[in-house]
Amino acid sequence: LGARSLFFAMFRPSMLSTLRAAAGVCKRSIAVGAKIPELQGLKLLAGKEASDASTKEIFGGSKVVLFGVPGAYTPVCSSKHVPSFINNADQLKAQGVDKIICLSVNDKFVMENWGEKLQVADKVMLLADVDGNLTRALDQEVDLTAAGLGKRSHRFAMVVEDGVVKHVFTEASPADLTETSAEEILAVLKKA
């Protein structure tokens, strides 16, 4: 198999158990009420514009929905997770959300191309966590080396207001999408 075919073969039903086993069960995460750690040099892409940003600039004075994915171009991320936020962006903003940001442990070039392919436009900003520092600071790092992906982010979603975590949800496996879709976050915001 070629590299691309091998990569996508990992996400067939027979390989989902490998992914789940590689990830283990996420038992930790940044706590509700915690402040987002201050970090510099993050690569934030808004439309076609990329800029260096700090967590203070990203989260300060704003209501942000941040969701993390195991990787750009991975099947669940590309076909379900990110599209759920694109399709519900207007409804999330109607609930007072200022920014919707997708985080992945990838470089800015991959994130930029992925954003163009998914047509995120002005709906979802992309955050390239190049070295995984923010992912680790949020206690969301997962070692998916056994599945051929290396160290990545758990699939998670959180609501952050002025730098403080108000809600956080983490999937048990990177292959799952039950708690972290835009629809689930929208339901939480409507209850609040």
Side-chain angles (χ1 to χ4, degrees), residues 46-190:
K48 293 188 178 206
E49 299 296 319
S51 61
D52 285 342
S54 68
T55 50
K56 187 175 183 179
E57 293 165 331
I58 294 169
F59 297 102
S62 299
K63 185 173 187 177
V64 178
V65 171
L66 174 69
F67 67 103
V69 297
Y73 292 102
T74 55
V76 174
C77 305
S78 295
S79 68
K80 296 179 183 175
H81 205 181
V82 176
S84 78
F85 283 94
I86 293 169
N87 296 335
N88 288 284
D90 292 336
Q91 292 178 3
L92 288 163
K93 290 183 179 180
Q95 294 296 315
V97 172
D98 300 303
K99 300 174 192 171
I100 303 166
I101 302 174
C102 174
L103 174 146
S104 184
V105 180
N106 282 110
D107 64 69
K108 76 174 190 137
F109 302 106
V110 168
M111 295 296 280
E112 183 178 293
N113 285 323
W114 189 45
E116 287 177 17
K117 180 177 170 74
L118 294 177
Q119 299 177 341
V120 298
D122 62 344
K123 304 276 185 179
V124 175
M125 301 167 92
L126 301 176
L127 184 58
D129 190 8
V130 178
D131 53 13
N133 280 344
L134 181 55
T135 299
R136 277 189 297 283
L138 299 174
D139 285 332
Q140 292 291 346
E141 183 176 74
V142 60
D143 189 348
L144 297 176
T145 301
L149 296 173
K151 292 188 178 180
R152 297 295 183 114
S153 171
H154 276 286
R155 185 178 307 285
F156 72 89
M158 63 179 64
V159 178
V160 181
E161 291 183 31
D162 195 22
V164 177
V165 177
K166 297 298 184 180
H167 304 278
V168 62
F169 307 93
T170 305
E171 301 288 356
S173 162
D176 295 341
L177 183 59
T178 58
E179 300 179 44
T180 62
S181 68
E183 294 82 3
E184 293 298 319
I185 299 304
L186 192 54
V188 167
L189 291 173
K190 286 181 177 179

